[in-house]
Amino acid sequence: MCGLVGFLRANGPSRDGDAGLLRAMAGQVAHRGPDDEGVWTGDGVGLGHRRLSVIDTSSGGHQPMTRGRWTLVLNGEIYNYLDLRAELEASGRTFTTRSDTEVLLVALMMWGVGAVNRLNGMFAFALWDEERRELLLARDRIGKKPLYYAEVGGDLVFGSEIKAVLQWPGLERAPDLRAIHHYLSMQYVPSPFTAFKGVHSLSPGHLAVCRPGEEIRPVRYWDIPSPSTARRREGDLSGELRELLERAVKRRLVADVPVGAFLSGGVDSSLVTALMAQEAGGRIKTFSIGFANAAFDERKYARMVANRYATDHHEEVIDEDATAILPNIVWHYGQPFADPSAIPTYYLSRLARGHVTVALSGDGGDEFFLGYDRYEACRRLAWADHLPASVRGLLGLGAAAIPSPLSEVKYFRTAKRLLRQWSSTRGRRYEPTIMYFLGADKESAYGDLMRPNLADDSMSLLAPWLEAGPTLVEGAAYADQHSYLPDDILVKVDVASMAFGLEARAPLLDVELMEWAAALPAAIKAPKGRLKGLLKDAVAPLLPPEIIDRPKMGFGVPIEEWLRDGFATYAREVLTSTEAKNRGLFQPQYTRKLLEEHTSGRRLHHTRIWAMLMLELWFVMWIDGDGAKPV
């Protein structure tokens, strides 16, 4: 696991200071790779690298790695590198190191771009071919490893984090208001947008072949199989799934450094811990975060699994609000990010890094095996798909007939919401379960700076995936797999873990497992609406019944409570400051209303207040300020 940076000038040759510029860029991602640094420059091209040594921890894995006319930098791990190495050796290729980086380099030399489809791993990489004067950029299938880029005066600059890209001379730090508009809807910036104008994220499953002076044109090399192709299957599906899970965990135990597991006490992290304990053959280390607020504390469930498998278990309790670490969160994420579970993930990564270099997580189980409560809500709303258009029209008229003043009353507000859902398209029925600022919210909230974006519908970004499923449940999960999972969940874990030089691996996002799960319809994965039923049945022998049967509980944070107590003063100071008012993002009276209603307990607005707070803090650090790392 590492950090990479680089550039490709529109017009060579190399310039004095290119190596220093690469080092400055790499310095912005030094936390990703504390063990080694390297830079390489060619004719109008440069690659830089910061290394976290996990496989072949000797100097044999040093990057950038050059062989003949090719030079490579890699961020991530190739889990099937030993199989690929054996195949390459059988073809007469030789190796001088034990690293997966060299295997990737030789695979690309032998098989070209097609080698990307043979990789099972998490990765972002850049390969320079001196003879062809081509730069290949690629990102793993589901987006576990990030890659950002910008084109500045014809030059291409890229890196593992936006802050590295921003080091390029002439790149203006200006907000992308359209991206911010979508952020307010979703609580994260969806790929390929970033919050900075002119900076883009290479989307998961995409690659780009770049030539000097030519516009970058990413193309998709892999996609999650559409739910419309899923078919009912017979046989021992639980047994098949168990075998797939075992192989996925085993692949992720290959390392020359200590490996542990994040253990929340939910089904996904618990099954990963159980399979890891069985495969490792020794006592494994596990890590949990809890809260003083019992409603958000899952440690008793984590202890059940830790005790069953006699793990070396470590816990930490968060008994403070987030004021102290918010500047670090804002700096590390580099763009607005309003998923509050970034806070416990940050603490969890810090805890784990004190004991291990690699940690396995349970990410991906909810999206591929239908674990979110909103999928059950989608199942209950599926009947509306069969309503005649005339009936939907009447329901819509009923919603419109409820006047705005009555909408302030809880009963009428709920009635209006349900009537709108029942009368709406599939996407509109899903919207309230996944979006945080809806259209009506933005009409009231937006100041002059943001109002031009009101016509831009964030749901249109998800529509192609929502409509790909035969049912709303399958369409919703497919949309989550393409957006919420890579742009929220995986960004959250990657940034928090890499802040401490910790490698996080996700067995449930093994490509073999993802493709197998995608081939099954919702009725098999969640029989009779039992969320994650197939997965639970497959691992039930491994876990205490209390883990299997407990209700779904996300990695939550008591921000509702924080924003009514001492933290409310901090939020009010930030959001009603002169700078915030003059920014023009929000109507000042809307901000005051949200704060007053929430602190008084009349209505809950914590999710919107949190999104506004993280946005304002981002502006202060990255647009008003110089983006310096907090002391």
Side-chain angles (χ1 to χ4, degrees):
M1 192 68 65
C2 311
L4 65 85
V5 298
F7 64 81
L8 178 61
R9 294 191 184 277
N11 300 298
S14 300
R15 304 180 188 179
D16 292 339
D18 275 356
L21 179 55
L22 281 170
R23 287 192 178 92
M25 294 169 64
Q28 294 293 303
V29 296
H31 46 278
R32 287 181 169 264
D35 297 330
D36 191 18
E37 178 188 40
V39 297
W40 172 90
T41 57
D43 187 12
V45 61
L47 299 174
H49 192 262
R50 293 290 310 213
R51 185 185 184 200
L52 175 65
S53 300
V54 174
I55 294 175
D56 192 2
T57 57
S58 69
S59 60
H62 178 76
Q63 298 184 49
M65 185 175 286
T66 299
R67 190 156 175 168
R69 72 192 211 214
W70 294 275
T71 301
L72 173 74
V73 284
L74 164 68
N75 170 26
E77 302 290 349
I78 310 302
Y79 299 126
N80 64 332
Y81 81 101
L82 291 175
D83 294 334
L84 294 174
R85 177 173 176 144
E87 185 176 351
L88 290 164
E89 287 178 327
S91 300
R93 303 287 175 157
T94 59
F95 295 86
T96 60
T97 75
R98 297 185 296 107
S99 71
D100 58 339
T101 304
E102 188 180 15
V103 171
L104 174 60
L105 177 55
V106 174
L108 290 165
M109 291 165 55
M110 182 168 178
W111 298 319
V113 173
V116 179
N117 290 295
R118 305 176 72 142
L119 306 178
N120 187 340
M122 55 178 180
F123 56 82
F125 68 79
L127 175 75
W128 174 247
D129 183 336
E130 178 63 33
E131 182 177 302
R132 298 174 65 93
R133 301 285 299 165
E134 288 182 347
L135 178 72
L136 171 64
L137 301 178
R139 191 174 175 206
D140 66 65
R141 292 170 175 82
I142 200 66
K144 286 175 266 187
K145 292 291 100 187
L147 189 58
Y148 299 97
Y149 66 90
E151 294 170 282
V152 187
D155 297 337
L156 173 66
V157 56
F158 54 90
S160 295
E161 295 189 11
I162 296 172
K163 59 179 67 71
V165 176
L166 293 176
Q167 295 294 303
W168 191 254
L171 179 56
E172 180 187 5
R173 282 191 297 172
D176 185 327
L177 298 180
R178 185 184 180 201
I180 289 169
H181 169 75
H182 294 316
Y183 154 81
L184 289 166
S185 297
M186 300 177 176
Q187 80 177 0
Y188 58 88
V189 178
S191 175
F193 296 99
T194 78
F196 291 93
K197 189 178 295 183
V199 181
H200 311 280
S201 169
L202 184 65
S203 295
H206 280 68
L207 58 79
V209 177
C210 312
R211 299 175 183 87
E214 294 185 9
E215 181 180 355
I216 183 172
R217 298 183 183 278
V219 296
R220 181 179 285 281
Y221 68 86
W222 181 87
D223 199 2
I224 303 162
S226 168
S228 63
T229 64
R231 295 290 181 270
R232 179 173 290 278
R233 292 183 52 208
E234 302 300 329
D236 182 14
L237 295 180
S238 291
E240 286 185 38
L241 176 53
R242 174 80 169 270
E243 291 178 4
L244 287 166
L245 291 168
E246 290 171 349
R247 288 203 295 271
V249 169
K250 184 176 181 178
R251 289 187 185 109
R252 282 154 184 82
L253 294 180
V254 176
D256 296 329
V257 294
V259 180
F262 294 155
L263 178 57
S264 70
V267 170
D268 300 333
S269 68
S270 296
L271 76 88
V272 168
T273 298
L275 292 172
M276 183 179 172
Q278 289 188 349
E279 179 64 33
R283 194 179 188 200
I284 67 169
K285 296 180 184 294
T286 52
F287 308 95
S288 299
I289 289 293
F291 289 93
N293 185 327
F296 293 84
D297 194 7
E298 297 182 273
R299 285 177 298 152
K300 72 174 184 179
Y301 297 105
R303 288 171 191 160
M304 290 179 186
V305 178
N307 291 337
R308 178 162 179 164
Y309 290 97
T311 73
D312 180 10
H313 189 57
H314 302 264
E315 297 179 348
E316 183 176 331
V317 177
I318 302 175
D319 57 0
E320 59 189 51
D321 65 39
T323 309
I325 68 160
L326 276 188
N328 289 296
I329 295 285
V330 174
W331 187 82
H332 277 290
Y333 282 86
Q335 57 180 336
F337 190 75
D339 185 339
S341 62
I343 294 171
T345 306
Y346 184 86
Y347 281 111
L348 179 63
S349 297
R350 186 179 69 179
L351 173 64
R353 188 62 177 95
H355 303 271
V356 298
T357 309
V358 175
L360 273 58
S361 78
D363 295 321
D366 288 315
E367 292 82 7
F368 280 92
F369 291 95
L370 304 180
Y372 292 127
D373 290 338
R374 60 178 177 265
Y375 298 148
E376 174 57 19
C378 289
R379 190 180 72 88
R380 292 197 302 268
L381 285 169
W383 63 273
D385 279 335
H386 307 292
L387 289 176
S390 57
V391 175
R392 287 189 187 178
L394 289 173
L395 293 173
L397 290 174
I402 299 176
S404 296
L406 280 180
S407 296
E408 295 297 311
V409 179
K410 183 176 181 180
Y411 172 81
F412 289 103
R413 185 167 65 248
T414 301
K416 189 165 190 168
R417 176 177 58 82
L418 290 174
L419 287 170
R420 278 178 171 169
Q421 281 186 299
W422 296 337
S423 65
S424 297
T425 61
R426 176 181 288 184
R428 290 290 170 241
R429 292 200 298 280
Y430 191 50
E431 185 176 22
T433 71
I434 195 68
M435 296 290 177
Y436 290 76
F437 277 83
L438 302 180
D441 298 315
K442 291 178 177 180
E443 285 279 358
S444 303
Y446 277 3
D448 293 341
L449 191 65
M450 292 298 295
R451 294 197 73 79
N453 294 286
L454 283 172
D456 193 355
D457 182 9
S458 297
M459 284 303 297
S460 66
L461 302 179
L462 305 183
W465 302 310
L466 279 167
E467 297 302 324
T471 68
L472 177 56
V473 172
E474 287 156 318
Y478 201 51
D480 286 348
Q481 291 160 13
H482 282 87
S483 185
Y484 178 69
L485 175 62
D487 294 331
D488 183 311
I489 301 298
L490 298 182
V491 167
K492 174 186 68 182
V493 174
D494 173 75
V495 172
S497 60
M498 285 282 90
F500 300 99
L502 175 73
E503 177 174 306
R505 299 177 174 179
L508 299 184
L509 294 175
D510 186 89
V511 60
E512 184 182 24
L513 183 56
M514 287 191 294
E515 292 182 337
W516 184 88
L520 299 176
I524 288 180
K525 289 186 281 192
K528 298 181 180 179
R530 182 183 173 228
L531 294 175
K532 219 147 48 178
L534 175 60
L535 183 64
K536 290 178 177 179
D537 290 342
V539 300
L542 300 175
L543 301 175
E546 294 91 340
I547 302 296
I548 296 294
D549 299 332
R550 62 177 294 216
K552 169 69 179 173
M553 181 177 176
F555 202 18
V557 181
I559 58 168
E560 175 190 333
E561 176 184 289
W562 288 355
L563 288 170
R564 272 201 295 266
D565 295 333
F567 192 70
T569 301
Y570 173 78
R572 183 180 298 276
E573 289 174 353
V574 172
L575 292 176
T576 62
S577 68
T578 301
E579 292 80 8
K581 290 177 182 177
N582 292 340
R583 216 176 290 289
L585 296 171
F586 303 105
Q587 297 285 352
Q589 62 269 27
Y590 177 85
T591 303
R592 288 195 302 270
K593 178 183 177 184
L594 257 60
L595 291 166
E596 290 168 2
E597 289 186 348
H598 186 80
T599 53
S600 68
R602 290 200 304 275
R603 289 183 66 178
L604 299 180
H605 297 299
H606 51 288
T607 55
R608 285 185 286 276
I609 293 172
W610 190 259
M612 295 165 69
L613 176 63
M614 298 306 291
L615 177 59
E616 178 59 23
L617 292 174
W618 175 80
F619 264 94
V620 170
M621 178 176 288
W622 288 102
I623 304 301
D624 301 346
D626 59 4
K629 185 176 182 179
V631 178

